[in-house]
Amino acid sequence: LSKKETLNRTGIIMIHAVNPWGFAHLRRVNENNIDLNRNFIDFDNSSPSSHPMYSTLNRVINPAAKPSALSEMLFWTNTAKLISMHRGIKKLAEPIAQGQYDFPDGLFYSGRETNPSTELLKRLVLKYTQNIEQVTILDVHTGLGPSGVATLISNSNRTKPSQTATWLEQYYQQPIVMDNDDNNAYEAQGSWSSWCQRHLTKKQYLFMCVEIGTVNPLKVLSALRRENQAHHWSDKNSSHYSKTKQELRNVFAPPSKHWTSKALEQGLGVFKKTLKLPPKIK
């Protein structure tokens, strides 16, 4: 299609900051400590459960005390032991990050009911796609993957499941990780992607999580852990409370002009290619 034809056939909706409270308070979660990308669950029809390993890791990742040098040293020591025991970080990523329902003050808490923000996003998606046959969703995040590089994690019903990854890799000219692939570090329970899989089945849809990498995943986890400690256990006026907030911001948005430039280039590249996706897949 020409540029004009593409624009005439395409509607674009941009939603910024699904978690406005978190943006305002420099938290990855909302005011109820809920990780919104673990909250897209049909709670009336399912009874989600935590990974059995999460409770054994809780003391390491959710210590009930304010941040300290000793606490941080114990985190890195214990994490090194766990990585050695499980022969790599990948086996720890899933139990920690897939979403948990038993520790309301802990990391990656999914909540026990649908949050207003996730409910609003569901209504918007269903409303604006009501009379649309073909839907493409780009869900942009930072944190996972090589620094400044866009990692694409997808699901789609536009081709046969066995052909989807190949078609997407040929089109985007880069590796694609499918949600349920073994290559995926973890599959989050209650993600927006999984909700779309369940509720957009009558449409041709493509969901693409665009993850712009920042720093080492253990540094991300460490920053999340310290900020969560400080939020629950520290004086809100203390210097280390504000320090943990800034450190969390830095691991998701590194204060580097080079990173910012590269991240924008990568993100815009994915966006431009997505606009030119063929209307039908043969």
Side-chain angles (χ1 to χ4, degrees):
L1 293 176
S2 68
K3 184 183 292 187
K4 183 177 180 180
E5 287 174 317
T6 299
L7 290 174
N8 287 339
R9 295 169 60 95
T10 304
I12 299 174
I13 297 174
M14 302 187 74
I15 301 173
H16 181 243
V18 175
N19 179 20
W21 186 92
F23 269 49
H25 294 82
L26 288 178
R27 298 217 77 202
R28 186 177 172 276
V29 293
N30 74 355
E31 62 271 28
N32 299 315
N33 202 57
I34 293 173
D35 183 329
L36 295 178
N37 204 32
R38 307 294 185 277
N39 187 247
F40 287 88
I41 295 170
D42 301 322
F43 286 98
D44 293 337
N45 302 312
S46 63
S47 300
S49 59
S50 307
H51 192 287
M53 273 185 65
Y54 190 97
S55 60
T56 66
L57 299 169
N58 182 62
R59 187 175 295 180
V60 175
I61 56 179
N62 299 315
K66 64 183 181 181
S68 67
L70 176 59
S71 174
E72 187 68 2
M73 183 183 72
L74 289 173
F75 165 74
W76 286 101
T77 302
N78 289 328
T79 301
K81 289 179 181 177
L82 288 167
I83 291 172
S84 177
M85 183 187 305
H86 294 281
R87 298 183 179 181
I89 191 173
K90 187 175 179 180
K91 289 187 177 180
L92 291 175
E94 184 176 353
I96 292 174
Q98 77 168 25
Q100 57 90 11
Y101 308 85
D102 301 315
F103 301 92
D105 291 339
L107 296 180
F108 301 102
Y109 178 57
S110 304
R112 286 290 182 176
E113 60 185 7
T114 301
N115 186 269
S117 291
T118 50
E119 186 61 39
L120 175 60
L121 191 55
K122 291 177 187 179
R123 290 202 306 269
L124 289 173
V125 170
L126 295 177
K127 175 183 177 181
Y128 289 111
T129 63
Q130 187 173 4
N131 300 313
I132 303 298
E133 294 181 2
Q134 211 168 79
V135 181
T136 299
I137 295 175
L138 296 181
D139 184 20
V140 183
H141 297 247
T142 62
L144 181 69
S147 181
V149 175
T151 296
L152 304 183
I153 305 170
S154 182
N155 73 64
S156 176
N157 67 355
R158 293 178 68 179
T159 62
K160 295 178 181 178
S162 60
Q163 299 173 346
T164 303
T166 301
W167 166 69
L168 288 172
E169 287 181 350
Q170 288 175 346
Y171 181 77
Y172 283 96
Q173 293 293 298
Q174 71 177 86
I176 304 290
V177 180
M178 303 307 293
D179 270 350
N180 57 358
D181 272 2
D182 291 338
N183 292 339
N184 197 2
Y186 59 87
E187 186 175 1
Q189 293 188 85
S191 68
W192 188 18
S193 172
S194 62
W195 182 85
C196 289
Q197 278 186 296
R198 297 192 301 275
H199 293 273
L200 297 179
T201 54
K202 294 183 179 179
K203 303 178 184 298
Q204 284 195 35
Y205 80 89
L206 166 65
F207 188 100
M208 188 75 77
C209 176
V210 185
E211 278 276 7
I212 310 292
T214 55
V215 298
N216 181 286
L218 286 179
K219 288 185 178 180
V220 174
L221 178 60
S222 174
L224 284 168
R225 174 183 177 274
R226 288 196 307 275
E227 187 279 332
N228 196 54
Q229 276 185 275
H231 182 82
H232 292 296
W233 301 98
S234 295
D235 179 354
K236 302 297 188 287
N237 296 315
S238 64
S239 60
H240 66 259
Y241 177 83
S242 57
K243 183 180 178 182
T244 63
K245 298 287 184 180
Q246 190 57 51
E247 289 173 343
L248 184 67
R249 182 175 184 170
N250 289 347
V251 299
F252 284 106
S256 158
K257 290 183 179 179
H258 175 72
W259 180 86
T260 301
S261 175
K262 190 175 179 181
L264 286 172
E265 179 184 358
Q266 290 272 301
L268 286 172
V270 173
F271 182 76
K272 289 176 181 178
K273 284 185 178 179
T274 302
L275 278 179
K276 296 178 182 179
L277 275 168
K280 291 186 179 180
I281 308 305
K282 296 180 181 180

